Amino acid sequence: MTLLSYQALKTVADQGSFRRAAELLGLTPSAVSHAISSLEAELGFSLLNRGKNGVTLTNYGERLLPFVNGVLNSDESLRQAIAEFNGLKQGKIKVGCFSSVCTNWMPQIMRSFQKEYPAITIELFQGTYDDVAYWIKNGVVDLGFLSVSSAAHIPIEPLYKDPLLCVVPKGMKRSGTGPAIGVDELRNREFVTQRESTDADIQNFLKENDLTVKSNYHVVDDLSTIAMVANDFGICLMPEMVMNDIPYEVDCYPLAEEAYRIIGIATLTPDNMAPAVRTFYNHVLRQYQQEEYR
């Protein structure tokens, strides 16, 4: 078993194609195929399903891939450590994040980080909370941004308290008065909701306040949710950060009962990060960690 065979397996699994994997690795498709065939022969079982519609991992391949990622990440960590010993800051970092962090924070983080450390490259993966947690656990990314409530058993460093808002159609007539909306005003309202993997903190707020929402609209992304609200199909709860990106005309109210999500940066091995990953991690803490969490 060699690092090349591990890299070939990971790249083919990511791309679903020997040809595309070969292009990324700078090899011929036959060389990639040979590397994986040799690995399969050594292991004694198949790792890939090869069909007309592409290439997918077998059950054995899926179970083995996290370990392959671990080996490749360790090799990258070794290379970074050697570079650090030689006085260089270089390497590659894989970062997972959810939508509002991707649009509000990542452009500035990447720009400022790469200005200071131009030899370190950043590979970005965007998904839901569940996606980011899965990527961290399986070594697809080195670290990722999550809400504290969605991190479960993944070690996470809190960064930022993001208040939840009630978002309603523009000019909607309210049953209550005052600048904030209370729980009683939310009862018996039609909601536009998202699945729990997308808005775990909102689901927690609803459960904690015994709010059983009525909804015929179950969408995935933030923009679709606000579009439905703007067109008078219901109301929703949304983190304040999300509303920075919304082009639709809606009204936003704070909640009378304080509610928020806590955004943090998570990694499986906070005490044993590769040098480049540690550098990025500390850079994020300096820029975005609020005083109350320092």
Side-chain angles (χ1 to χ4, degrees), residues 31-154:
V32 172
S33 179
H34 177 73
I36 294 176
S37 295
S38 297
L39 179 60
E40 290 174 322
E42 190 170 353
L43 293 172
F45 49 80
S46 296
L47 298 170
L48 296 173
N49 297 309
R50 300 158 173 85
K52 294 180 180 178
N53 296 323
V55 183
T56 60
L57 288 168
T58 63
N59 181 51
Y60 287 127
E62 289 179 353
R63 292 165 62 183
L64 191 67
L65 189 60
F67 299 100
V68 170
N69 286 334
V71 171
L72 294 174
N73 290 340
S74 294
D75 179 64
E76 175 64 18
S77 297
L78 175 62
R79 293 176 185 274
Q80 291 179 21
I82 293 169
E84 189 171 51
F85 295 155
N86 287 320
L88 304 173
K89 286 286 186 181
Q90 62 183 50
K92 183 177 183 180
I93 309 162
K94 293 170 286 185
V95 181
C97 65
F98 51 92
S99 177
S100 49
V101 163
C102 189
T103 56
N104 283 275
W105 285 4
M106 286 310 299
Q108 181 180 341
I109 289 174
M110 293 172 70
R111 190 176 297 112
S112 62
F113 183 79
Q114 293 186 322
K115 182 178 181 180
E116 191 170 352
Y117 305 101
I120 300 178
T121 59
I122 299 172
E123 188 173 356
L124 187 64
F125 297 75
Q126 182 190 339
T128 65
Y129 291 150
D130 279 359
D131 292 331
V132 176
Y134 175 85
W135 292 334
I136 293 172
K137 291 176 183 176
N138 288 275
V140 177
V141 299
D142 299 302
L143 43 71
F145 293 89
L146 288 168
S147 73
V148 169
S149 63
S150 67
H153 301 299
I154 302 173

Side-chain angles (χ1 to χ4, degrees), residues 92-219:
K92 183 177 183 180
I93 309 162
K94 293 170 286 185
V95 181
C97 65
F98 51 92
S99 177
S100 49
V101 163
C102 189
T103 56
N104 283 275
W105 285 4
M106 286 310 299
Q108 181 180 341
I109 289 174
M110 293 172 70
R111 190 176 297 112
S112 62
F113 183 79
Q114 293 186 322
K115 182 178 181 180
E116 191 170 352
Y117 305 101
I120 300 178
T121 59
I122 299 172
E123 188 173 356
L124 187 64
F125 297 75
Q126 182 190 339
T128 65
Y129 291 150
D130 279 359
D131 292 331
V132 176
Y134 175 85
W135 292 334
I136 293 172
K137 291 176 183 176
N138 288 275
V140 177
V141 299
D142 299 302
L143 43 71
F145 293 89
L146 288 168
S147 73
V148 169
S149 63
S150 67
H153 301 299
I154 302 173
I156 185 167
E157 182 72 19
L159 297 172
Y160 181 83
K161 186 182 289 187
D162 190 16
L164 299 185
L165 303 176
C166 182
V167 184
V168 305
K170 189 73 176 177
M172 184 193 81
K173 186 175 181 179
R174 291 177 51 197
S175 59
T177 58
I181 288 184
V183 169
D184 288 340
E185 195 174 347
L186 297 176
R187 298 191 194 280
N188 302 314
R189 284 281 189 183
E190 182 79 22
F191 272 73
V192 181
T193 60
Q194 295 178 308
R195 67 190 191 198
E196 291 192 29
S197 64
T198 307
D199 63 353
D201 300 277
I202 293 169
Q203 295 294 333
N204 289 342
F205 173 81
L206 296 174
K207 291 173 185 175
E208 289 165 3
N209 289 279
D210 196 27
L211 284 167
T212 303
V213 303
K214 300 182 299 181
S215 181
N216 294 320
Y217 315 107
H218 309 279
V219 297

